[in-house]
Amino acid sequence: MSLFPQPRWLRRWIRRRMNPLPVDKAALWKGRISIFYSIVAWNALGWVGYMVYTGRNDWAKYYGYKTDEEAQLPQAVRFAKQLNMPNAHVMKFSGLKKTDEYELKDMEVIRSATGATTEKDVSDH
């Protein structure tokens, strides 16, 4: 049993068109492919680290795909737009403590006057 089962028709199609490989040749190619994969993964990790180090971790803003207005929106509003949910109840957590809670009505932040703590209030204690 696998996480993503392979369709039977694909397996039959591949087995009809391919010849079986000898075990030693298959092991050789498995080693080559794993070395190639490790080199590509290491370079990708280095590229991501370089982008974060040079301040380009928000690549959409850096390359102009995100406007300044979109960059200033809270993350909850951006997710609500993406999920097409104009009305939502948002709760922010830092660790196991709730730091903020508010409502989104038509993509506008509405804060209740009773008991909503902010990140500043939590850091003061």
Side-chain angles (χ1 to χ4, degrees):
M1 183 172 161
S2 65
L3 186 59
F4 300 107
Q6 182 179 356
R8 290 180 193 243
W9 64 267
L10 181 61
R11 178 178 169 82
R12 284 193 308 261
W13 185 82
I14 290 172
R15 292 190 52 94
R16 260 187 263 134
R17 285 163 179 73
M18 304 291 273
N19 292 330
L21 285 175
V23 175
D24 57 339
K25 199 171 198 178
L28 175 70
W29 276 101
K30 182 179 178 182
R32 288 178 182 170
I33 290 172
S34 41
I35 289 172
F36 174 74
Y37 174 76
S38 62
I39 290 171
V40 169
W42 183 254
N43 283 319
L45 178 66
W47 182 76
V48 168
Y50 173 75
M51 295 299 271
V52 169
Y53 179 74
T54 58
R56 292 185 273 180
N57 51 345
D58 190 1
W59 62 270
K61 184 177 179 194
Y62 182 80
Y63 289 108
Y65 293 117
K66 188 189 304 180
T67 63
D68 289 334
E69 297 85 29
E70 289 175 331
Q72 296 301 323
L73 289 175
Q75 189 174 18
V77 174
R78 287 186 287 187
F79 278 128
K81 277 185 179 181
Q82 184 73 28
L83 296 171
N84 198 16
M85 295 178 61
N87 302 322
H89 182 79
V90 178
M91 296 181 349
K92 288 186 178 181
F93 286 88
S94 177
L96 296 175
K97 293 185 179 184
K98 183 169 58 172
T99 58
D100 198 6
E101 184 173 358
Y102 56 88
E103 294 284 332
L104 284 179
K105 301 267 189 211
D106 297 324
M107 300 300 174
E108 295 294 324
V109 175
I110 299 175
R111 297 192 183 276
S112 64
T114 59
T117 60
T118 62
E119 293 175 17
K120 183 177 182 280
D121 295 336
V122 171
S123 65
D124 289 342
H125 294 160

